[in-house]
PDB file of all heavy atoms in Angstrom:
ATOM      1  N   ILE A   1     -10.943 -11.003  16.650  1.00  0.00           N
ATOM      2  CA  ILE A   1     -10.405  -9.691  16.293  1.00  0.00           C
ATOM      3  C   ILE A   1      -8.911  -9.799  16.029  1.00  0.00           C
ATOM      4  O   ILE A   1      -8.386  -9.223  15.081  1.00  0.00           O
ATOM      5  CB  ILE A   1     -10.678  -8.669  17.416  1.00  0.00           C
ATOM      6  CG1 ILE A   1     -12.191  -8.487  17.597  1.00  0.00           C
ATOM      7  CG2 ILE A   1     -10.014  -7.339  17.122  1.00  0.00           C
ATOM      8  CD1 ILE A   1     -12.560  -7.544  18.715  1.00  0.00           C
ATOM      9  N   TYR A   2      -8.206 -10.564  16.862  1.00  0.00           N
ATOM     10  CA  TYR A   2      -6.768 -10.729  16.674  1.00  0.00           C
ATOM     11  C   TYR A   2      -6.457 -11.382  15.328  1.00  0.00           C
ATOM     12  O   TYR A   2      -5.571 -10.972  14.598  1.00  0.00           O
ATOM     13  CB  TYR A   2      -6.173 -11.584  17.799  1.00  0.00           C
ATOM     14  CG  TYR A   2      -6.309 -11.010  19.179  1.00  0.00           C
ATOM     15  CD1 TYR A   2      -6.233 -11.813  20.309  1.00  0.00           C
ATOM     16  CD2 TYR A   2      -6.488  -9.634  19.362  1.00  0.00           C
ATOM     17  CE1 TYR A   2      -6.333 -11.285  21.583  1.00  0.00           C
ATOM     18  CE2 TYR A   2      -6.593  -9.095  20.640  1.00  0.00           C
ATOM     19  CZ  TYR A   2      -6.518  -9.920  21.741  1.00  0.00           C
ATOM     20  OH  TYR A   2      -6.613  -9.405  23.004  1.00  0.00           O
ATOM     21  N   GLU A   3      -7.215 -12.446  15.009  1.00  0.00           N
ATOM     22  CA  GLU A   3      -7.002 -13.131  13.740  1.00  0.00           C
ATOM     23  C   GLU A   3      -7.307 -12.208  12.573  1.00  0.00           C
ATOM     24  O   GLU A   3      -6.607 -12.198  11.558  1.00  0.00           O
ATOM     25  CB  GLU A   3      -7.880 -14.383  13.678  1.00  0.00           C
ATOM     26  CG  GLU A   3      -7.459 -15.444  14.702  1.00  0.00           C
ATOM     27  CD  GLU A   3      -8.403 -16.623  14.727  1.00  0.00           C
ATOM     28  OE1 GLU A   3      -9.429 -16.541  14.018  1.00  0.00           O
ATOM     29  OE2 GLU A   3      -8.118 -17.614  15.414  1.00  0.00           O
ATOM     30  N   LEU A   4      -8.358 -11.407  12.694  1.00  0.00           N
ATOM     31  CA  LEU A   4      -8.714 -10.462  11.652  1.00  0.00           C
ATOM     32  C   LEU A   4      -7.601  -9.444  11.473  1.00  0.00           C
ATOM     33  O   LEU A   4      -7.255  -9.065  10.351  1.00  0.00           O
ATOM     34  CB  LEU A   4     -10.021  -9.745  12.013  1.00  0.00           C
ATOM     35  CG  LEU A   4     -10.495  -8.640  11.051  1.00  0.00           C
ATOM     36  CD1 LEU A   4     -10.787  -9.227   9.680  1.00  0.00           C
ATOM     37  CD2 LEU A   4     -11.726  -7.936  11.599  1.00  0.00           C
ATOM     38  N   ASP A   5      -6.982  -9.024  12.588  1.00  0.00           N
ATOM     39  CA  ASP A   5      -5.914  -8.037  12.525  1.00  0.00           C
ATOM     40  C   ASP A   5      -4.734  -8.548  11.717  1.00  0.00           C
ATOM     41  O   ASP A   5      -4.153  -7.840  10.906  1.00  0.00           O
ATOM     42  CB  ASP A   5      -5.464  -7.681  13.943  1.00  0.00           C
ATOM     43  CG  ASP A   5      -4.231  -6.782  13.958  1.00  0.00           C
ATOM     44  OD1 ASP A   5      -4.309  -5.695  13.361  1.00  0.00           O
ATOM     45  OD2 ASP A   5      -3.220  -7.188  14.541  1.00  0.00           O
ATOM     46  N   ILE A   6      -4.366  -9.828  11.932  1.00  0.00           N
ATOM     47  CA  ILE A   6      -3.244 -10.398  11.208  1.00  0.00           C
ATOM     48  C   ILE A   6      -3.508 -10.358   9.709  1.00  0.00           C
ATOM     49  O   ILE A   6      -2.663  -9.958   8.914  1.00  0.00           O
ATOM     50  CB  ILE A   6      -2.974 -11.841  11.686  1.00  0.00           C
ATOM     51  CG1 ILE A   6      -2.514 -11.832  13.157  1.00  0.00           C
ATOM     52  CG2 ILE A   6      -1.941 -12.514  10.799  1.00  0.00           C
ATOM     53  CD1 ILE A   6      -2.406 -13.207  13.759  1.00  0.00           C
ATOM     54  N   ASN A   7      -4.717 -10.772   9.294  1.00  0.00           N
ATOM     55  CA  ASN A   7      -5.072 -10.757   7.887  1.00  0.00           C
ATOM     56  C   ASN A   7      -5.168  -9.334   7.366  1.00  0.00           C
ATOM     57  O   ASN A   7      -4.752  -9.044   6.245  1.00  0.00           O
ATOM     58  CB  ASN A   7      -6.392 -11.496   7.668  1.00  0.00           C
ATOM     59  CG  ASN A   7      -6.286 -12.973   8.019  1.00  0.00           C
ATOM     60  OD1 ASN A   7      -5.227 -13.566   7.852  1.00  0.00           O
ATOM     61  ND2 ASN A   7      -7.352 -13.556   8.519  1.00  0.00           N
ATOM     62  N   LEU A   8      -5.728  -8.452   8.174  1.00  0.00           N
ATOM     63  CA  LEU A   8      -5.889  -7.064   7.768  1.00  0.00           C
ATOM     64  C   LEU A   8      -4.544  -6.397   7.526  1.00  0.00           C
ATOM     65  O   LEU A   8      -4.396  -5.638   6.566  1.00  0.00           O
ATOM     66  CB  LEU A   8      -6.655  -6.281   8.840  1.00  0.00           C
ATOM     67  CG  LEU A   8      -8.161  -6.141   8.651  1.00  0.00           C
ATOM     68  CD1 LEU A   8      -8.750  -5.318   9.781  1.00  0.00           C
ATOM     69  CD2 LEU A   8      -8.488  -5.521   7.309  1.00  0.00           C
ATOM     70  N   MET A   9      -3.557  -6.659   8.364  1.00  0.00           N
ATOM     71  CA  MET A   9      -2.267  -6.022   8.200  1.00  0.00           C
ATOM     72  C   MET A   9      -1.613  -6.425   6.884  1.00  0.00           C
ATOM     73  O   MET A   9      -0.972  -5.606   6.226  1.00  0.00           O
ATOM     74  CB  MET A   9      -1.348  -6.349   9.372  1.00  0.00           C
ATOM     75  CG  MET A   9      -1.659  -5.580  10.638  1.00  0.00           C
ATOM     76  SD  MET A   9      -1.681  -3.774  10.396  1.00  0.00           S
ATOM     77  CE  MET A   9       0.017  -3.465   9.927  1.00  0.00           C
ATOM     78  N   LEU A  10      -1.784  -7.676   6.486  1.00  0.00           N
ATOM     79  CA  LEU A  10      -1.229  -8.103   5.202  1.00  0.00           C
ATOM     80  C   LEU A  10      -1.943  -7.396   4.058  1.00  0.00           C
ATOM     81  O   LEU A  10      -1.296  -6.899   3.125  1.00  0.00           O
ATOM     82  CB  LEU A  10      -1.362  -9.620   5.045  1.00  0.00           C
ATOM     83  CG  LEU A  10      -0.925 -10.181   3.686  1.00  0.00           C
ATOM     84  CD1 LEU A  10       0.537  -9.839   3.415  1.00  0.00           C
ATOM     85  CD2 LEU A  10      -1.161 -11.686   3.625  1.00  0.00           C
ATOM     86  N   VAL A  11      -3.276  -7.329   4.148  1.00  0.00           N
ATOM     87  CA  VAL A  11      -4.047  -6.643   3.107  1.00  0.00           C
ATOM     88  C   VAL A  11      -3.664  -5.171   3.054  1.00  0.00           C
ATOM     89  O   VAL A  11      -3.444  -4.592   1.977  1.00  0.00           O
ATOM     90  CB  VAL A  11      -5.563  -6.798   3.359  1.00  0.00           C
ATOM     91  CG1 VAL A  11      -6.361  -5.923   2.400  1.00  0.00           C
ATOM     92  CG2 VAL A  11      -5.973  -8.252   3.206  1.00  0.00           C
ATOM     93  N   ILE A  12      -3.569  -4.550   4.233  1.00  0.00           N
ATOM     94  CA  ILE A  12      -3.205  -3.132   4.303  1.00  0.00           C
ATOM     95  C   ILE A  12      -1.813  -2.910   3.714  1.00  0.00           C
ATOM     96  O   ILE A  12      -1.581  -1.940   2.987  1.00  0.00           O
ATOM     97  CB  ILE A  12      -3.266  -2.631   5.756  1.00  0.00           C
ATOM     98  CG1 ILE A  12      -4.727  -2.549   6.216  1.00  0.00           C
ATOM     99  CG2 ILE A  12      -2.594  -1.267   5.902  1.00  0.00           C
ATOM    100  CD1 ILE A  12      -4.881  -2.316   7.697  1.00  0.00           C
ATOM    101  N   TYR A  13      -0.889  -3.825   3.998  1.00  0.00           N
ATOM    102  CA  TYR A  13       0.458  -3.689   3.457  1.00  0.00           C
ATOM    103  C   TYR A  13       0.453  -3.756   1.935  1.00  0.00           C
ATOM    104  O   TYR A  13       1.105  -2.944   1.263  1.00  0.00           O
ATOM    105  CB  TYR A  13       1.351  -4.789   4.024  1.00  0.00           C
ATOM    106  CG  TYR A  13       2.747  -4.780   3.437  1.00  0.00           C
ATOM    107  CD1 TYR A  13       3.667  -3.809   3.805  1.00  0.00           C
ATOM    108  CD2 TYR A  13       3.132  -5.733   2.500  1.00  0.00           C
ATOM    109  CE1 TYR A  13       4.943  -3.780   3.254  1.00  0.00           C
ATOM    110  CE2 TYR A  13       4.405  -5.717   1.946  1.00  0.00           C
ATOM    111  CZ  TYR A  13       5.300  -4.740   2.331  1.00  0.00           C
ATOM    112  OH  TYR A  13       6.545  -4.717   1.777  1.00  0.00           O
ATOM    113  N   LEU A  14      -0.296  -4.705   1.385  1.00  0.00           N
ATOM    114  CA  LEU A  14      -0.355  -4.843  -0.072  1.00  0.00           C
ATOM    115  C   LEU A  14      -1.007  -3.616  -0.713  1.00  0.00           C
ATOM    116  O   LEU A  14      -0.539  -3.117  -1.738  1.00  0.00           O
ATOM    117  CB  LEU A  14      -1.123  -6.113  -0.446  1.00  0.00           C
ATOM    118  CG  LEU A  14      -0.466  -7.436  -0.015  1.00  0.00           C
ATOM    119  CD1 LEU A  14      -1.355  -8.615  -0.379  1.00  0.00           C
ATOM    120  CD2 LEU A  14       0.910  -7.592  -0.663  1.00  0.00           C
ATOM    121  N   VAL A  15      -2.086  -3.141  -0.094  1.00  0.00           N
ATOM    122  CA  VAL A  15      -2.731  -1.928  -0.604  1.00  0.00           C
ATOM    123  C   VAL A  15      -1.774  -0.743  -0.497  1.00  0.00           C
ATOM    124  O   VAL A  15      -1.687   0.085  -1.412  1.00  0.00           O
ATOM    125  CB  VAL A  15      -4.035  -1.648   0.171  1.00  0.00           C
ATOM    126  CG1 VAL A  15      -4.592  -0.272  -0.193  1.00  0.00           C
ATOM    127  CG2 VAL A  15      -5.073  -2.723  -0.126  1.00  0.00           C
ATOM    128  N   ALA A  16      -1.037  -0.688   0.599  1.00  0.00           N
ATOM    129  CA  ALA A  16      -0.132   0.439   0.833  1.00  0.00           C
ATOM    130  C   ALA A  16       0.987   0.483  -0.197  1.00  0.00           C
ATOM    131  O   ALA A  16       1.287   1.551  -0.755  1.00  0.00           O
ATOM    132  CB  ALA A  16       0.455   0.350   2.242  1.00  0.00           C
ATOM    133  N   ILE A  17       1.627  -0.664  -0.480  1.00  0.00           N
ATOM    134  CA  ILE A  17       2.730  -0.633  -1.440  1.00  0.00           C
ATOM    135  C   ILE A  17       2.211  -0.344  -2.848  1.00  0.00           C
ATOM    136  O   ILE A  17       2.894   0.313  -3.639  1.00  0.00           O
ATOM    137  CB  ILE A  17       3.581  -1.923  -1.406  1.00  0.00           C
ATOM    138  CG1 ILE A  17       2.754  -3.161  -1.747  1.00  0.00           C
ATOM    139  CG2 ILE A  17       4.267  -2.069  -0.059  1.00  0.00           C
ATOM    140  CD1 ILE A  17       3.607  -4.432  -1.840  1.00  0.00           C
ATOM    141  N   ALA A  18       0.997  -0.797  -3.142  1.00  0.00           N
ATOM    142  CA  ALA A  18       0.416  -0.483  -4.450  1.00  0.00           C
ATOM    143  C   ALA A  18       0.133   1.013  -4.560  1.00  0.00           C
ATOM    144  O   ALA A  18       0.423   1.643  -5.593  1.00  0.00           O
ATOM    145  CB  ALA A  18      -0.858  -1.292  -4.667  1.00  0.00           C
ATOM    146  N   ALA A  19      -0.433   1.585  -3.502  1.00  0.00           N
ATOM    147  CA  ALA A  19      -0.737   3.015  -3.513  1.00  0.00           C
ATOM    148  C   ALA A  19       0.529   3.852  -3.593  1.00  0.00           C
ATOM    149  O   ALA A  19       0.593   4.851  -4.329  1.00  0.00           O
ATOM    150  CB  ALA A  19      -1.538   3.390  -2.263  1.00  0.00           C
ATOM    151  N   GLU A  20       1.577   3.453  -2.855  1.00  0.00           N
ATOM    152  CA  GLU A  20       2.835   4.189  -2.896  1.00  0.00           C
ATOM    153  C   GLU A  20       3.480   4.078  -4.268  1.00  0.00           C
ATOM    154  O   GLU A  20       4.083   5.045  -4.767  1.00  0.00           O
ATOM    155  CB  GLU A  20       3.782   3.664  -1.817  1.00  0.00           C
ATOM    156  CG  GLU A  20       3.334   3.938  -0.394  1.00  0.00           C
ATOM    157  CD  GLU A  20       3.236   5.423  -0.104  1.00  0.00           C
ATOM    158  OE1 GLU A  20       4.166   6.163  -0.459  1.00  0.00           O
ATOM    159  OE2 GLU A  20       2.213   5.850   0.454  1.00  0.00           O
ATOM    160  N   ALA A  21       3.372   2.904  -4.889  1.00  0.00           N
ATOM    161  CA  ALA A  21       3.909   2.741  -6.235  1.00  0.00           C
ATOM    162  C   ALA A  21       3.196   3.675  -7.217  1.00  0.00           C
ATOM    163  O   ALA A  21       3.830   4.276  -8.099  1.00  0.00           O
ATOM    164  CB  ALA A  21       3.753   1.288  -6.688  1.00  0.00           C
ATOM    165  N   MET A  22       1.899   3.824  -7.070  1.00  0.00           N
ATOM    166  CA  MET A  22       1.133   4.705  -7.955  1.00  0.00           C
ATOM    167  C   MET A  22       1.511   6.165  -7.726  1.00  0.00           C
ATOM    168  O   MET A  22       1.620   6.950  -8.680  1.00  0.00           O
ATOM    169  CB  MET A  22      -0.362   4.468  -7.754  1.00  0.00           C
ATOM    170  CG  MET A  22      -0.798   3.065  -8.126  1.00  0.00           C
ATOM    171  SD  MET A  22      -2.558   2.732  -7.910  1.00  0.00           S
ATOM    172  CE  MET A  22      -3.202   3.276  -9.476  1.00  0.00           C
ATOM    173  N   SER A  23       1.743   6.528  -6.466  1.00  0.00           N
ATOM    174  CA  SER A  23       2.161   7.908  -6.195  1.00  0.00           C
ATOM    175  C   SER A  23       3.539   8.163  -6.797  1.00  0.00           C
ATOM    176  O   SER A  23       3.829   9.257  -7.305  1.00  0.00           O
ATOM    177  CB  SER A  23       2.167   8.182  -4.687  1.00  0.00           C
ATOM    178  OG  SER A  23       3.271   7.575  -4.044  1.00  0.00           O
ATOM    179  N   GLY A  24       4.407   7.152  -6.758  1.00  0.00           N
ATOM    180  CA  GLY A  24       5.719   7.291  -7.382  1.00  0.00           C
ATOM    181  C   GLY A  24       5.614   7.437  -8.891  1.00  0.00           C
ATOM    182  O   GLY A  24       6.332   8.243  -9.499  1.00  0.00           O
ATOM    183  N   ALA A  25       4.721   6.668  -9.501  1.00  0.00           N
ATOM    184  CA  ALA A  25       4.527   6.761 -10.948  1.00  0.00           C
ATOM    185  C   ALA A  25       4.017   8.139 -11.341  1.00  0.00           C
ATOM    186  O   ALA A  25       4.439   8.707 -12.363  1.00  0.00           O
ATOM    187  CB  ALA A  25       3.557   5.674 -11.403  1.00  0.00           C
ATOM    188  N   LEU A  26       3.112   8.693 -10.559  1.00  0.00           N
ATOM    189  CA  LEU A  26       2.603  10.038 -10.851  1.00  0.00           C
ATOM    190  C   LEU A  26       3.718  11.079 -10.755  1.00  0.00           C
ATOM    191  O   LEU A  26       3.802  11.999 -11.580  1.00  0.00           O
ATOM    192  CB  LEU A  26       1.464  10.388  -9.887  1.00  0.00           C
ATOM    193  CG  LEU A  26       0.155   9.619 -10.080  1.00  0.00           C
ATOM    194  CD1 LEU A  26      -0.829   9.959  -8.966  1.00  0.00           C
ATOM    195  CD2 LEU A  26      -0.461   9.916 -11.439  1.00  0.00           C
ATOM    196  N   ALA A  27       4.573  10.935  -9.742  1.00  0.00           N
ATOM    197  CA  ALA A  27       5.698  11.863  -9.599  1.00  0.00           C
ATOM    198  C   ALA A  27       6.637  11.747 -10.795  1.00  0.00           C
ATOM    199  O   ALA A  27       7.145  12.753 -11.305  1.00  0.00           O
ATOM    200  CB  ALA A  27       6.451  11.576  -8.301  1.00  0.00           C
ATOM    201  N   ALA A  28       6.866  10.518 -11.267  1.00  0.00           N
ATOM    202  CA  ALA A  28       7.710  10.313 -12.445  1.00  0.00           C
ATOM    203  C   ALA A  28       7.076  10.937 -13.679  1.00  0.00           C
ATOM    204  O   ALA A  28       7.768  11.519 -14.526  1.00  0.00           O
ATOM    205  CB  ALA A  28       7.946   8.818 -12.662  1.00  0.00           C
ATOM    206  N   GLY A  29       5.743  10.814 -13.783  1.00  0.00           N
ATOM    207  CA  GLY A  29       5.047  11.409 -14.916  1.00  0.00           C
ATOM    208  C   GLY A  29       5.154  12.911 -14.945  1.00  0.00           C
ATOM    209  O   GLY A  29       5.257  13.520 -16.024  1.00  0.00           O
ATOM    210  N   ARG A  30       5.164  13.532 -13.773  1.00  0.00           N
ATOM    211  CA  ARG A  30       5.312  14.989 -13.724  1.00  0.00           C
ATOM    212  C   ARG A  30       6.700  15.431 -14.167  1.00  0.00           C
ATOM    213  O   ARG A  30       6.909  16.601 -14.498  1.00  0.00           O
ATOM    214  CB  ARG A  30       5.002  15.489 -12.308  1.00  0.00           C
ATOM    215  CG  ARG A  30       3.509  15.475 -11.966  1.00  0.00           C
ATOM    216  CD  ARG A  30       3.219  16.239 -10.683  1.00  0.00           C
ATOM    217  NE  ARG A  30       3.693  15.542  -9.515  1.00  0.00           N
ATOM    218  CZ  ARG A  30       2.971  14.664  -8.816  1.00  0.00           C
ATOM    219  NH1 ARG A  30       1.731  14.392  -9.197  1.00  0.00           N
ATOM    220  NH2 ARG A  30       3.462  14.075  -7.745  1.00  0.00           N
ATOM    221  N   ARG A  31       7.650  14.487 -14.170  1.00  0.00           N
ATOM    222  CA  ARG A  31       9.011  14.785 -14.647  1.00  0.00           C
ATOM    223  C   ARG A  31       9.245  14.217 -16.048  1.00  0.00           C
ATOM    224  O   ARG A  31      10.388  14.150 -16.516  1.00  0.00           O
ATOM    225  CB  ARG A  31      10.041  14.212 -13.676  1.00  0.00           C
ATOM    226  CG  ARG A  31      10.078  14.933 -12.337  1.00  0.00           C
ATOM    227  CD  ARG A  31      10.486  16.382 -12.519  1.00  0.00           C
ATOM    228  NE  ARG A  31      10.507  17.103 -11.248  1.00  0.00           N
ATOM    229  CZ  ARG A  31      10.857  18.375 -11.129  1.00  0.00           C
ATOM    230  NH1 ARG A  31      11.197  19.062 -12.207  1.00  0.00           N
ATOM    231  NH2 ARG A  31      10.836  18.979  -9.958  1.00  0.00           N
ATOM    232  N   ASN A  32       8.174  13.770 -16.714  1.00  0.00           N
ATOM    233  CA  ASN A  32       8.252  13.287 -18.093  1.00  0.00           C
ATOM    234  C   ASN A  32       9.233  12.127 -18.262  1.00  0.00           C
ATOM    235  O   ASN A  32       9.993  12.079 -19.244  1.00  0.00           O
ATOM    236  CB  ASN A  32       8.634  14.435 -19.049  1.00  0.00           C
ATOM    237  CG  ASN A  32       7.626  15.565 -19.024  1.00  0.00           C
ATOM    238  OD1 ASN A  32       6.412  15.332 -19.108  1.00  0.00           O
ATOM    239  ND2 ASN A  32       8.104  16.793 -18.895  1.00  0.00           N
ATOM    240  N   MET A  33       9.223  11.200 -17.325  1.00  0.00           N
ATOM    241  CA  MET A  33      10.108  10.044 -17.418  1.00  0.00           C
ATOM    242  C   MET A  33       9.515   8.994 -18.355  1.00  0.00           C
ATOM    243  O   MET A  33       8.298   8.939 -18.578  1.00  0.00           O
ATOM    244  CB  MET A  33      10.334   9.434 -16.031  1.00  0.00           C
ATOM    245  CG  MET A  33      11.081  10.341 -15.079  1.00  0.00           C
ATOM    246  SD  MET A  33      11.509   9.494 -13.534  1.00  0.00           S
ATOM    247  CE  MET A  33      12.218  10.850 -12.597  1.00  0.00           C
TER     248      MET A  33
END
């Protein structure tokens, strides 16, 4: 479980920054950037 957690946190981090980047792009689109 501990080893899985280490790998999971990296995956979660990568998914998180991708999702946040997409939310930022949508916000930019609403401002016609």
